[in-house]
Each structure stands twice: as C-alpha cells, then as structure tokens.
Amino acid sequence: MTIQAIAASSGVQPGTTAGTTAPRPAQTMDSSMFMSLLVTQLKNQDPSAPMDTNQMMSQTVQLSMMEKMTELTADAKESFSLQMRSAAAQIIGHNVSYALADGTKGSGVASSVSFAAGTPTVAVGGVSVPLDSISGMTAAPSPATATPTA
C-alpha cells in the first residue's frame, strides 16, 4: 500500500479561516489570570511531588506586589492630574507666554481654564493653549491706584 503526500500547505493557521487572522491575546496579567494559573497548576501537579510551599508563597507575594504597583501607578496619575488642574487654575489673571506645537508663539493674560481634555487648556487672548505649552508666567498686571490730589 502506498501513501500519497498531502498537497502543500495553504498557509492558513489551524482554527482560522482563509482571509482572517487569529486575534492576538491580551498581554496584561491581572489577579484573576494569576489565580486561574495558580489553580490550574495546583490541579495538575504530581501528587507524589507537590508544589513547594515556598514557591507558592513567592508567587503570591509577586501577585500582591503587582497589584500594589498598579494601585500606586493609578494614584500617581490621579495626583499628577490634580496638580495640573491646580497649576492651571493659579495661572488665571497672570501674564503668560507660550509656544504651541505648530511654532506659534504668543503672550497675554490668562483669562480662563478648561479641563475638558486630558491636559488643561488655558485661554490666552482668545487662543486655547495647552498647559504644557506655557513657557513662562509673570505677575498679573496691577490696577493703577488712584492718588487723591489736594
């Protein structure tokens, strides 16, 4: 009995159809994924050689550290956002100079602040200037004090 060779591969991955590609898996690891892996590892371990408790504790500590680092990152982003908003609010009424990304330079008195976008924008003489484009600030113009004449 002779066996015939199968025709050359079409280049289609198993589990996909021609013209489509398999979706890329998410590359993030969270606590639910970690717990799923740990449970699977415990279910499939060899009963005669169980997992080392030190190794399991080490993995649990790593998970805890990862979660805390994620929380710290989120807190740092929130803190930075609040600092930007506070700095933008303090600019109102001051003379500012700016350089926009397109090369436009200008200066004027900051009249208002908008927090609608990710970066606060400051209104300077009718121009909306992102906070990170402001290059300088000077004291607000002081109103002239009238001196009584005798």
Side-chain angles (χ1 to χ4, degrees):
M1 173 180 186
T2 59
I3 298 176
Q4 297 290 332
I6 297 176
S9 171
S10 64
V12 176
Q13 295 282 335
T16 63
T17 59
T20 63
T21 58
R24 298 185 106 185
Q27 296 297 320
T28 60
M29 184 167 179
D30 59 0
S31 59
S32 62
M33 178 185 279
F34 177 82
M35 291 306 289
S36 173
L37 288 171
L38 183 60
V39 168
T40 302
Q41 185 177 8
L42 290 173
K43 282 182 182 177
N44 296 318
Q45 72 179 341
D46 181 7
S48 64
M51 176 193 257
D52 181 21
T53 56
N54 290 334
Q55 183 182 11
M56 190 166 81
M57 288 303 294
S58 173
Q59 290 175 358
T60 305
V61 167
Q62 288 174 350
L63 169 67
S64 177
M65 289 176 61
M66 179 191 69
E67 288 177 336
K68 291 299 179 189
M69 291 300 291
T70 303
E71 287 176 22
L72 282 173
T73 300
D75 289 347
K77 285 180 181 180
E78 184 178 339
S79 176
F80 181 68
S81 176
L82 290 172
Q83 287 175 348
M84 283 194 333
R85 288 173 181 244
S86 176
Q90 291 178 2
I91 289 176
I92 295 174
H94 288 79
N95 286 321
V96 296
S97 56
Y98 60 88
L100 298 176
D102 64 0
T104 305
K105 293 183 179 184
S107 63
V109 177
S111 59
S112 65
V113 177
S114 171
F115 302 115
T119 301
T121 55
V122 181
V124 181
V127 178
S128 185
V129 180
L131 181 63
D132 55 359
S133 295
I134 294 177
S135 57
M137 182 173 78
T138 58
S142 60
T145 56
T147 55
T149 56

